[in-house]
Amino acid sequence: MSHGPSHPVDKVVDMASTAIYARISQDRTGAGLGVDRQEQDCRDLCDRHGWTPVTVFVDNDVSAYSGKPRPAYQRMLSDLKEGAVDRVVCWHPDRLHRSPRELEDFIDVIEAAQATVVSVTAGPYDLATPEGRLTARVVGSVARKESEDKSRRLRRKHLELAEAGEWAGGGTRPYGYHQDRLTVRVDEAAMIREATQRILDGDRLRTIAADWNTRGVDTVTGGAWTTPVLRRLLTSARIAGWREHQGRWTAEATWAGIVDRPTVERLRLILLDPARRLNVNPRRYLLTGLLRCGLCDARLVARPRSNKDRAYVCARGPNFHGCGKIGVIAEALEEYIAFLATRWLDTDAVHAARSDTDAPGDTLAQVAADEAALDQLARDHYVDRIISRSEYLTARAGVESRLVAARRLMTVTEGNRRLERYRGQGEALAARWETTGFDQRRAMIDTCVETITVGPGVRGLNRFDHLRVKIKWRGRMT
């Protein structure tokens, strides 16, 4: 095995503590062979000079160019600062750093520790002298240029593949497809279509993931389904038979789709809605958020009573602003609202509830572009420092304003679609109500109802009184 050019080093009594550092940017197989070879070459160099490494720091499959944290590198710096290490041996200086900024920080640490750096292929670096620092900076600049050239070539290659609708290669096979990444797996495709329909019907990702785990549906790696994993699957352009690059649909793919593109765009509208993603707490009460107090107009809250009955109440106290005078048993009210809602769907009132405004066909693409613009603005300010904070805040405000308006319009559009799907289906929905999941029940009621006002009860009346309830339907008041 070649160890690069030999560099003479005086063999004197050496009390320095030597550490080896090895790094490889990409380990596709996970075998760690690249860092193993680096470590062996470094050990051979140490043997030739009579040095005994006290520790070996290894960052496998971690890039120095990307700027992501390198845990072993950080531990090495800590040992240098604490005096536990006086000499660093590496295979080549670019294993230590590919960023001029990071090199300067490294020089400061080496100078303060009065440590030395020796590489297998480039010899010793005397960072205590101006000449040595100049050499390190030149080598670092060349390494940075090589990284930038490689990154540019890779970006161009990925763009070419995306525009041709081809897969970029690598990684675990995608769910729904065989190992060739082209052929649809019938069993997994059926699960994707099931999840798609359930989301459109109002189910939540959390509910579907829990159901699949209970039923023994495996992920590609054999692990459990989680909300983020399921979200990534159902919002991917891949399942629509399209190639996507940096948030942009670039071309029809060389593989077959499992659901059509308009459906995936609707899934994205639903699943990527920031308001939905912030609402992570599971609901246990069907009408939470829809009920108002008939006396003070405060929002009713869900609360079990001492006899274990679920109830909605107008709460008062340090964290509540209600009058505390309204309460209603949850089960009876929920049954009444469901009864009326399913029948309302079979009336002409549904037409009045539909908004006349639908989002234009390119709205989702505009949202994706604006989201990408926000990411770029953040990089321009926080990472590259090419715009000031005031410029960043001004530009961000304009983009976020467009995003809010677009998302609101898309939410209205999805509500119109769901209303059309439910229209005339009230009797059928009522027939299968008991077997319908909680999320779908709530989605149906949200489609029909804006608010429900509950008035005071009649003293001494020990049964549910529907006259206490006023419903504001979508499109009209009852």
Side-chain angles (χ1 to χ4, degrees):
M1 180 183 294
S2 174
H3 302 291
S6 176
H7 300 276
V9 177
D10 293 338
K11 292 186 177 181
V12 296
V13 177
D14 193 326
M15 303 299 292
S17 298
T18 301
I20 291 173
Y21 180 77
R23 177 189 62 79
I24 189 171
S25 299
Q26 192 172 57
D27 182 5
R28 291 189 181 277
T29 65
L33 298 179
V35 289
D36 285 347
R37 286 191 290 269
Q38 290 179 40
E39 180 182 340
Q40 186 57 55
D41 286 357
C42 291
R43 287 188 179 276
D44 290 345
L45 184 146
C46 289
D47 288 344
R48 291 197 298 272
H49 296 291
W51 303 335
T52 301
V54 295
T55 187
V56 178
F57 299 99
V58 175
D59 282 315
N60 189 38
D61 204 19
V62 180
S63 170
Y65 173 71
S66 68
K68 293 180 180 179
R70 290 186 282 157
Y73 179 80
Q74 294 301 322
R75 291 196 300 273
M76 180 184 69
L77 292 183
S78 295
D79 281 5
L80 283 166
K81 293 174 182 178
E82 294 170 2
V85 170
D86 305 302
R87 180 189 295 114
V88 175
V89 177
C90 62
W91 191 81
H92 188 276
D94 66 8
R95 298 302 86 193
L96 286 168
H97 31 66
R98 279 181 172 261
S99 162
R101 182 183 299 110
E102 190 176 56
L103 170 60
E104 295 302 324
D105 293 337
F106 183 73
I107 289 174
D108 290 343
V109 172
I110 291 295
E111 282 187 314
Q114 296 185 337
T116 59
V117 180
V118 181
S119 71
V120 173
T121 58
Y125 269 66
D126 186 1
L127 298 180
T129 67
E131 292 78 10
R133 291 194 292 271
L134 174 62
T135 301
R137 286 166 179 144
V138 170
V139 172
S141 296
V142 171
R144 179 72 175 187
K145 177 64 164 55
E146 290 175 352
S147 294
E148 290 174 346
D149 289 344
K150 180 181 178 182
S151 177
R152 184 171 59 250
R153 289 193 298 270
L154 285 174
R155 287 198 302 271
R156 182 59 192 167
K157 182 62 177 178
H158 281 294
L159 178 59
E160 289 175 358
L161 291 171
E163 290 178 339
E166 296 180 8
W167 181 243
T172 307
R173 74 167 179 87
Y175 188 84
Y177 294 86
H178 286 282
Q179 198 63 45
D180 63 5
R181 293 173 170 76
L182 299 175
T183 309
V184 173
R185 281 190 55 154
V186 175
D187 56 337
E188 293 180 354
M191 299 308 300
I192 290 174
R193 295 188 185 103
E194 174 194 305
T196 296
Q197 190 57 54
R198 289 177 65 173
I199 291 296
L200 296 178
D201 286 341
D203 264 354
R204 301 183 70 81
L205 288 169
R206 178 181 55 249
T207 303
I208 299 172
D211 178 42
W212 282 13
N213 290 332
T214 300
R215 290 159 58 185
V217 179
D218 291 329
T219 63
V220 171
T221 60
W225 286 98
T226 63
T227 295
V229 170
L230 193 55
R231 181 186 292 111
R232 284 195 297 271
L233 171 65
L234 297 180
T235 57
S236 67
R238 162 169 280 279
I239 65 172
W242 274 76
R243 186 70 161 83
E244 187 176 18
H245 183 67
Q246 295 183 346
R248 181 171 61 90
W249 299 66
T250 54
E252 288 194 61
T254 54
W255 57 84
I258 296 173
V259 295
D260 58 64
R261 175 173 174 172
T263 300
V264 174
E265 290 179 335
R266 292 179 62 193
L267 290 174
R268 288 186 170 195
L269 164 64
I270 297 169
L271 299 177
L272 301 181
D273 180 1
R276 177 188 179 99
R277 298 182 69 172
L278 288 173
N279 183 18
V280 296
N281 296 320
R283 286 194 180 108
R284 295 180 177 85
Y285 285 67
L286 190 62
L287 305 178
T288 300
L290 294 175
L291 303 176
R292 313 292 298 194
C293 174
L295 295 177
C296 68
D297 200 40
R299 200 179 288 269
L300 300 192
V301 299
R303 183 172 294 174
R305 291 186 169 178
S306 56
N307 60 2
K308 305 303 181 183
D309 284 335
R310 295 183 305 115
Y312 299 100
V313 302
C314 180
R316 60 182 303 176
N319 299 319
F320 301 97
H321 305 287
C323 63
K325 298 179 180 179
I326 294 291
V328 60
I329 298 299
E331 184 176 2
L333 179 61
E334 290 168 357
E335 288 180 355
Y336 177 64
I337 297 301
F339 173 82
L340 292 182
T342 52
R343 278 148 185 79
W344 181 83
L345 290 169
D346 291 337
T347 69
D348 291 338
V350 174
H351 296 289
R354 192 187 189 286
S355 172
D356 294 331
T357 305
D358 275 344
D362 62 348
T363 302
L364 194 64
Q366 292 173 2
V367 167
D370 281 339
E371 289 173 340
L374 286 179
D375 291 339
Q376 185 61 54
L377 281 171
R379 286 194 295 272
D380 289 347
H381 173 59
Y382 290 107
V383 179
D384 299 328
R385 302 293 185 182
I386 61 177
I387 61 174
S388 67
R389 180 163 180 78
S390 61
E391 290 172 324
Y392 164 68
L393 293 175
T394 300
R396 188 183 70 174
V399 176
E400 287 181 337
S401 177
R402 288 200 307 269
L403 275 172
V404 168
R407 285 173 178 149
R408 185 181 297 117
L409 190 56
M410 289 193 299
T411 301
V412 170
T413 302
E414 182 57 31
N416 285 342
R417 287 170 172 164
R418 183 168 289 166
L419 194 63
E420 289 301 318
R421 189 167 69 256
Y422 287 147
R423 182 165 61 91
Q425 299 297 312
E427 186 175 345
L429 287 168
R432 62 174 186 267
W433 185 260
E434 293 302 321
T435 58
T436 300
F438 179 93
D439 292 333
Q440 292 187 27
R441 292 184 184 185
R442 175 60 191 231
M444 191 275 287
I445 289 177
D446 279 339
T447 302
C448 304
V449 175
E450 286 191 19
T451 58
I452 302 165
T453 301
V454 180
V458 177
R459 186 180 297 275
L461 186 63
N462 294 321
R463 59 179 175 80
F464 176 71
D465 181 9
H466 70 276
L467 296 177
R468 301 174 58 193
V469 180
K470 302 284 185 194
I471 305 172
K472 183 181 180 183
W473 300 99
R474 300 284 179 190
R476 70 182 179 115
M477 178 75 80
T478 297

